[in-house]
């Protein structure tokens, strides 16, 4: 009982420190979210219990939600946007649609994962990887670089999901680091070599069942598949690009408050909550998310490669950009 009381008191103290506790009148906010629904459901439930603030969620793919926010403009009902990838937030920042976050919220997360101007904050990260079928890839030499997958030796052995929103930042990263001509050539090679799938879940499942040797995904999709199938159902593993190659891109999920928010106070509290130890522990301990918490000191799920052993390319949020050129390049290559 003492332990329970102590934990409860610590919990109340934590909430007060976050400015979440004991609202006189219940408030509400509208969240536009491109994050995985299961992840958002966990976080929203915990936030509502902690704050007494009700959250209504509208879900969708990141590029579509950003386009919707821009179309709605000042008439948008949204208070907060929770992005799956940082370029979505950079696009809103570029349109001056996000308000600057409080210094305390920004300070919780290392600055390199936040907006350059302070208008959004990083929440989680995930690594771009290859999923590799244990049998089909047994005799293959793994690529040194992501760009090697455009070579003829990978024809018929590769799976990609170019219409998945997670593929856009990868195209933007290659463009930022290698230039437009090299990126277009790489995409042309992928079109020649790859089997196409609608999303990363489809890529991971196809590689695992032996339909194709390797596939480009974000790391967490294989962990989620393992939860679904169990260890006996797994026939694949992850291959991590190294040495700062663009293939090891770190995708950052983050959140920002709309300048047109109808309940700005509740919106700021929700974004502050996302960066709190409480929320980051929810993310780390769930058997659903398998993303890296970005609050220092919060250990990720044990199934993940340690965060300090990842070797992403040297690419800041500004240079990665807003994905505005990614879709046109995919269309030009015949991938959309």
């Amino acid at each position: 009982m003492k332990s329970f009381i102590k934990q409860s008191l610590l919990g109340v103290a934590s909430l007060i420190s976050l400015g979440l506790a004991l609202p006189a009148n219940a408030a509400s906010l509208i969240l536009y979210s491109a994050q995985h629904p299961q992840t958002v459901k966990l976080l929203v439930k915990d936030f509502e219990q902690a704050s007494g603030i009700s959250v209504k969620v509208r879900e969708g793919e990141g590029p579509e939600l950003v386009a919707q926010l821009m179309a709605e403009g000042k008439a948008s009902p949204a208070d907060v946007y929770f992005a799956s990838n940082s370029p979505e937030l950079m696009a809103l920042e570029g349109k001056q649609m996000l308000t600057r976050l409080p210094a305390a919220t920004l300070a919780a997360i290392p600055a390199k994962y936040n907006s350059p101007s302070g208008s959004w904050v990083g929440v989680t990260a995930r690594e771009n990887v290859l999923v590799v079928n244990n049998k089909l890839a047994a005799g293959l030499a793994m690529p040194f670089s992501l760009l090697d997958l455009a070579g003829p030796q990978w024809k018929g052995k590769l799976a990609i999901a170019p219409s998945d929103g997670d593929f856009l930042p990868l195209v933007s990263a290659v463009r930022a680091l290698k230039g437009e001509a090299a990126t277009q050539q790489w995409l042309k090679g992928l079109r020649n070599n790859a089997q196409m799938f609608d999303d990363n879940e489809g890529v991971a499942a196809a590689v695992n069942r032996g339909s194709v040797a390797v596939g480009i995904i974000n790391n967490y999709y294989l962990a989620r598949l393992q939860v679904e199938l169990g260890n006996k159902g797994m026939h694949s593993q992850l291959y991590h690009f190294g040495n700062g190659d663009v293939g090891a891109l770190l995708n950052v999920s983050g959140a920002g408050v709309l300048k047109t928010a109808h309940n700005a106070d509740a919106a700021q509290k929700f974004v502050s909550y996302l960066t709190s130890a409480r929320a980051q522990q929810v993310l780390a301990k769930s058997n659903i998310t398998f993303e890296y918490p970005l609050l220092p000191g919060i250990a990720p799920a044990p199934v993940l490669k340690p965060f300090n052993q990842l070797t992403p390319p040297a690419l800041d949020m500004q240079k990665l950009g807003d994905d505005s050129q990614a879709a046109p390049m995919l269309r030009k290559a015949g991938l959309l």
Side-chain angles (χ1 to χ4, degrees), residues 230-262:
N231 291 338
K232 292 183 178 178
M234 297 308 294
H235 310 291
S236 55
Q237 59 185 299
L238 295 184
Y239 169 75
H240 303 264
F241 293 96
N243 306 307
D245 184 72
V246 66
L249 178 69
L250 204 60
N251 289 310
V252 171
S253 168
V257 175
L258 278 299
K259 280 186 176 177
T260 53
H262 299 278

Side-chain angles (χ1 to χ4, degrees), residues 10-163:
L10 288 172
V12 170
S14 176
L15 295 182
I16 292 173
S17 70
L18 290 171
L20 297 177
L22 306 177
N25 297 300
S28 65
L29 65 87
I30 294 179
L31 170 67
Y32 279 25
S33 174
Q35 253 286 2
H36 286 278
Q38 306 96 323
T39 300
V40 174
K41 185 176 181 181
L42 278 177
L43 292 169
V44 165
K45 181 180 179 181
D46 188 61
F47 173 75
E48 288 180 333
Q49 290 176 345
S51 68
I53 297 171
S54 173
V55 181
K56 296 179 181 177
V57 182
R58 297 186 182 181
E59 296 169 338
E61 287 292 320
E64 284 75 21
L65 284 177
V66 168
Q68 182 177 343
L69 284 166
M70 290 181 179
E72 291 173 344
K74 294 180 180 179
S76 177
D79 294 298
V80 176
Y81 179 56
F82 192 5
S84 55
N85 293 295
S86 63
E88 301 157 18
L89 289 159
M90 291 299 291
L92 295 177
E93 179 178 305
K95 295 292 185 182
Q96 308 294 314
M97 293 179 67
L98 300 176
T99 192
R100 181 174 174 81
L101 297 176
T105 301
L106 294 168
I109 303 299
K112 63 182 178 180
Y113 303 124
N114 295 341
S115 156
S117 66
S119 66
W120 57 268
V121 65
V123 177
T124 63
R126 54 200 187 278
E127 182 195 24
N128 187 77
V129 294
L130 272 186
V131 55
V132 178
N133 182 274
N134 295 335
K135 185 176 181 180
L136 295 181
L140 298 176
M142 288 295 103
F144 180 80
S145 168
L146 179 78
L147 301 190
D148 295 340
L149 294 170
Q153 67 273 28
W154 289 100
K155 189 172 181 62
K157 300 182 177 69
L158 174 67
I160 61 174
S163 60

Side-chain angles (χ1 to χ4, degrees), residues 200-221:
N200 279 330
E201 288 92 340
V203 170
V207 172
N208 188 64
R209 67 174 175 264
S211 297
V212 61
V214 304
I216 300 173
I217 61 171
N218 280 181
N219 66 292
Y220 57 4
Y221 289 101

Side-chain angles (χ1 to χ4, degrees), residues 38-39 42 220-231 281-291 300-304:
Q38 306 96 323
T39 300
L42 278 177
Y220 57 4
Y221 289 101
L222 196 64
R224 292 181 176 198
L225 189 63
Q226 187 170 2
V227 170
E228 177 184 342
L229 301 179
N231 291 338
Q281 288 284 11
V282 168
L283 291 165
K285 294 181 178 179
S286 77
N287 206 25
I288 297 173
T289 300
F290 300 112
E291 296 190 48
V303 71
L304 300 181

Side-chain angles (χ1 to χ4, degrees), residues 262-300:
H262 299 278
N263 194 339
D265 183 59
Q268 291 288 0
K269 287 178 178 176
F270 180 73
V271 175
S272 176
Y273 160 80
L274 293 176
T275 65
S276 69
R278 176 176 179 135
Q280 297 275 305
Q281 288 284 11
V282 168
L283 291 165
K285 294 181 178 179
S286 77
N287 206 25
I288 297 173
T289 300
F290 300 112
E291 296 190 48
Y292 292 97
L294 286 178
L295 182 68
I298 305 296

